[in-house]
Amino acid sequence: MLMLTLLTIATGTDRPPARPPAGPPDLAILVSVDWLSQHLGDPDLVIFQIGDGASKRTYDAGHIPGAQFLNPFSELAAPQGGGSGLALELPQVAQLDSVLEAKGVSNSTRIVLYSADEYYSPTSRAFFTLEYAGMAGKVVMLDGGLEAWRAAGKPVATEVPTPKRGSFTPSLKPEMVVDAAWVKDHLQDSKVQIIDARTPNFYNGGETRQPRVGRIPGASNVPFGTVIKDGSTTFKDPATLKSILQAAGAADGDTVVTYCHIGQQASLVWFAARLLGYQARLYDGSMQDWSARRELPIEAPPPTVRDSMLVTADWLKAHLSDSNVVVLHADRNRTAFDEAHIPLARFADWAAFTTKNETLTTEMPAMEALGAWVQTLGLRPNQRIIIYGDPVPAARLYFTLEYLALSNRASILDGGLAGWRATGGEVTAKPIEFEKSTFQPRFVWRELIVNSDFVKSRLGDSTTAIIDARSLDEYKGNKGPADLRPGHIPGAASLDWTTLVDNGKFKSPTVLRGMFEQAGVAAGDDLIIYCHSGARSSVDWFVAKYLGYRPRMYDGSMEDWSRKAELPVEK
């Protein structure tokens, strides 16, 4: 998105001017394979294949003749870590000017963008950015992308063109972008339809990667992928797209505002609205911005149990030999594993998915170490990962996979090895042989782990619940290491992790939810969990996520908090 100061000046909070009913589809912004084939030799034509670092191999293997490679995340976005702290922002004028001129773009240039590897939303994001830069009427998108080009039997090339430097002067169109203040002021505007382009599980509050779960009040849902034909790479026809937008509440004459996680997926629905003749705008900060502004309202459904996070021994017996199932035995040492483990299980060493520093005993390892560990275990995308072991190491391992964005298909075996044996499950002392993988996780959810500054900032916040997973004696300050101040973080409630399990099995969801509610956790709360060092709190964190809450871990826990004399401790 734009820098916040520029957005405030450009958009303000005024309602957009009245607009006649949406016009006929602007098919000029979407061109066919035949059109591009006929115009390949045009002297002012510049073609870009859109992708990122991982997908550049597709470009290298064969691209539309004369096409250059363009990465919208690095070349057409402001550097991450800027003043706003948002992950994807529109670049400043100097960056636009420099990047586009280096690629041969001038003010008179006609630009064709196309996707490959189904990178639809990055391509629409690039289109949005170029129109924002003043290229409206001069930038088009190839319908169907590289896949359609190849399917039509058109030639590809591996030569990388060396463009002559262009002369381009951006002419920004800030009216294309809205900020949080604009959205807030138009929540009740009957002529503004806000559309959430995320997939239903995010829209409905089942999952989030943002500070708060839910959606902007009144927003309808058009999942970004639904504007593309099923089994194809081309857009749905205008009549179908119109029916989708109308079903989402976008009437003729409305202003359509789209948003998503960070402003990427939303650009694809924005493009569809733009194609149909709506006055379309993009809330570029999207949920990363809205959900972080705690004064802004959120529609959050009540939490629902995530049943898939737990599996039974009977389920594992039926699926143990499935080709995509990987079983991980989590423990602090290998002795018990070497004596008896579930057949086909791989050993996940506590020391590999936790680390120590001078004062803290249970911390998340560096990304490089975690990547090497994932490869050593032979983990790959889309595997069904089943974890078992004592509750603490099993839950901590699940937490680590969540941090690496690998937990969507991960579960804990309820009851562990004892439950497996009790149902007649076989065990073995023989280790299995398996191949290491070359998979390298590319994403970590850093917001999953909070520090003492974050916790301090939430003390007294009515929408934040803090849970202490230690024993009640430790919570009260009657027990604990002599070198730490006794007591608990002010406002924290006690929920001893051992009370969540019976004989190694988790209690029923109804009982567990009652325990969290009694501890003061309400639907929609921002939930912070801690213990002594970040180990036992993994069990409370796992149960909270299982119940549908959005827990985060204060990984330093009381080892960190109590050593900082400036931080308060209650007894």
Side-chain angles (χ1 to χ4, degrees):
M1 60 176 283
L2 285 170
M3 293 299 181
L4 187 57
T5 53
L6 178 56
L7 270 173
T8 303
I9 294 170
T11 64
T13 58
D14 294 334
R15 178 175 172 173
R19 181 178 173 86
D26 187 1
L27 299 180
I29 65 173
L30 192 63
V31 300
S32 67
V33 166
D34 288 339
W35 183 94
L36 180 56
S37 180
Q38 294 167 14
H39 289 81
L40 275 185
D42 290 1
D44 289 334
L45 194 70
V46 173
I47 307 171
F48 291 125
Q49 178 170 315
I50 303 301
D52 59 12
S55 63
K56 189 175 182 299
R57 62 180 180 273
T58 302
Y59 172 83
D60 294 335
H63 48 263
I64 294 175
Q68 302 177 63
F69 187 78
L70 178 65
N71 184 339
F73 306 112
S74 60
E75 297 181 284
L76 294 183
Q80 290 196 27
S84 71
L86 301 180
L88 188 61
E89 294 184 275
L90 287 167
Q92 295 187 356
V93 170
Q95 182 179 345
L96 282 169
D97 185 44
S98 174
V99 169
L100 294 177
E101 284 189 346
K103 292 181 178 293
V105 174
S106 297
N107 292 333
S108 61
T109 297
R110 186 80 183 273
I111 297 176
V112 177
L113 307 176
Y114 71 90
S115 63
D117 297 336
E118 301 182 356
Y119 267 41
Y120 311 121
S121 61
T123 305
S124 57
R125 175 73 193 192
F127 182 97
F128 175 84
T129 305
L130 292 174
E131 283 213 338
Y132 162 78
M135 296 295 289
K138 299 176 182 177
V139 56
V140 299
M141 192 184 303
L142 174 64
D143 196 16
L146 183 63
E147 290 84 355
W149 180 268
R150 286 180 175 273
K154 303 299 182 182
V156 296
T158 56
E159 294 81 12
V160 177
T162 304
K164 180 181 178 182
R165 188 173 186 86
S167 177
F168 177 66
T169 303
S171 177
L172 301 186
K173 305 298 180 185
E175 66 273 11
M176 295 171 56
V177 188
V178 299
D179 63 359
W182 193 97
V183 174
K184 179 175 181 289
D185 287 346
H186 291 80
L187 289 179
Q188 304 301 322
D189 191 333
S190 62
K191 299 302 293 179
V192 173
Q193 182 57 53
I194 301 171
I195 294 179
D196 187 323
R198 299 175 299 169
T199 52
N201 59 321
F202 290 98
Y203 173 78
N204 292 323
E207 189 59 80
T208 186
R209 293 290 179 184
Q210 307 299 346
R212 291 186 289 163
V213 69
R215 57 184 179 263
I216 295 175
S220 56
N221 187 213
V222 177
F224 71 104
T226 60
V227 303
I228 302 296
K229 290 180 183 177
D230 295 338
S232 174
T233 58
T234 59
F235 281 89
K236 292 179 178 176
D237 63 88
T240 302
L241 291 176
K242 188 65 175 288
S243 66
I244 291 172
L245 270 291
Q246 287 179 334
D252 284 351
D254 282 357
T255 294
V256 173
V257 177
T258 65
Y259 76 92
C260 57
H261 302 281
I262 60 174
Q264 175 187 319
Q265 295 171 349
S267 68
L268 193 61
V269 179
W270 171 89
F271 183 87
R274 163 83 172 78
L275 180 72
L276 294 172
Y278 287 99
Q279 178 171 297
R281 296 183 173 194
L282 184 70
Y283 174 24
D284 204 17
S286 287
M287 283 304 288
Q288 65 173 341
D289 179 55
W290 186 272
S291 65
R293 299 175 183 266
R294 301 183 67 77
E295 74 280 5
L296 297 177
I298 287 275
E299 281 184 354
T304 56
V305 175
R306 298 179 172 100
D307 294 314
S308 64
M309 289 177 59
L310 282 177
V311 298
T312 64
D314 287 338
W315 184 96
L316 184 56
K317 288 177 186 175
H319 295 276
L320 184 59
S321 298
D322 290 0
S323 60
N324 68 326
V325 168
V326 172
V327 180
L328 300 179
H329 178 122
D331 209 338
R332 296 175 184 270
N333 64 70
R334 195 181 173 102
T335 302
F337 175 82
D338 288 338
E339 290 177 352
H341 56 264
I342 294 174
L344 305 180
R346 307 173 188 183
F347 180 66
D349 190 347
W350 174 273
F353 58 88
T354 67
T355 190
K356 300 179 181 180
N357 61 30
E358 293 180 357
T359 57
L360 305 178
T361 56
T362 311
E363 293 293 285
M364 189 68 72
M367 185 61 186
E368 295 76 13
L370 287 173
W373 167 72
V374 164
Q375 293 174 357
T376 299
L377 280 177
L379 300 185
R380 295 175 175 82
N382 301 318
Q383 288 174 326
R384 187 77 165 89
I385 301 173
I386 308 301
I387 303 165
Y388 76 92
D390 289 338
V392 171
R396 181 72 194 196
L397 177 54
Y398 188 101
F399 174 76
T400 305
L401 295 179
E402 173 87 354
Y403 179 75
L404 293 171
L406 294 176
S407 66
N408 285 344
R409 293 173 58 80
S411 306
I412 287 180
L413 173 63
D414 200 14
L417 186 62
W420 172 263
R421 285 176 139 165
T423 61
E426 296 181 359
V427 296
T428 182
K430 183 179 179 181
I432 66 164
E433 295 183 359
F434 57 90
E435 293 184 359
K436 293 184 178 180
S437 72
T438 59
F439 171 62
Q440 179 63 46
R442 295 194 297 166
F443 173 85
V444 295
W445 186 18
R446 300 193 186 280
E447 292 76 14
L448 186 65
I449 299 174
V450 299
N451 58 22
S452 60
D453 288 339
F454 183 92
V455 177
K456 181 182 178 183
S457 72
R458 296 299 177 85
L459 297 183
D461 185 343
S462 62
T463 62
T464 299
I466 304 176
I467 295 294
D468 187 322
R470 299 174 300 165
S471 70
L472 189 58
D473 276 341
E474 291 172 282
Y475 172 82
K476 291 181 175 180
N478 300 329
K479 178 182 177 182
D483 62 331
L484 300 183
R485 286 184 291 158
H488 57 268
I489 294 174
S494 175
L495 190 51
D496 184 344
W497 75 273
T498 63
T499 64
L500 305 178
V501 294
D502 277 333
N503 297 319
K505 294 191 70 174
F506 290 97
K507 294 180 177 179
S508 72
T510 302
V511 172
L512 291 171
R513 187 175 302 286
M515 297 172 73
F516 273 82
E517 290 176 349
Q518 188 174 3
V521 182
D525 277 354
D526 205 355
L527 179 55
I528 301 170
I529 300 176
Y530 74 94
C531 59
H532 171 72
S533 66
R536 290 174 287 174
S537 54
S538 302
V539 179
D540 284 47
W541 176 90
F542 176 84
V543 171
K545 181 173 174 64
Y546 169 68
L547 294 175
Y549 296 112
R550 298 175 308 99
R552 293 196 262 191
M553 182 96 74
Y554 174 25
D555 213 17
S557 291
M558 287 303 289
E559 278 189 329
D560 180 58
W561 186 273
S562 65
R563 286 191 172 102
K564 296 179 176 179
E566 72 279 9
L567 297 177
V569 171
E570 277 185 353
K571 289 187 63 176

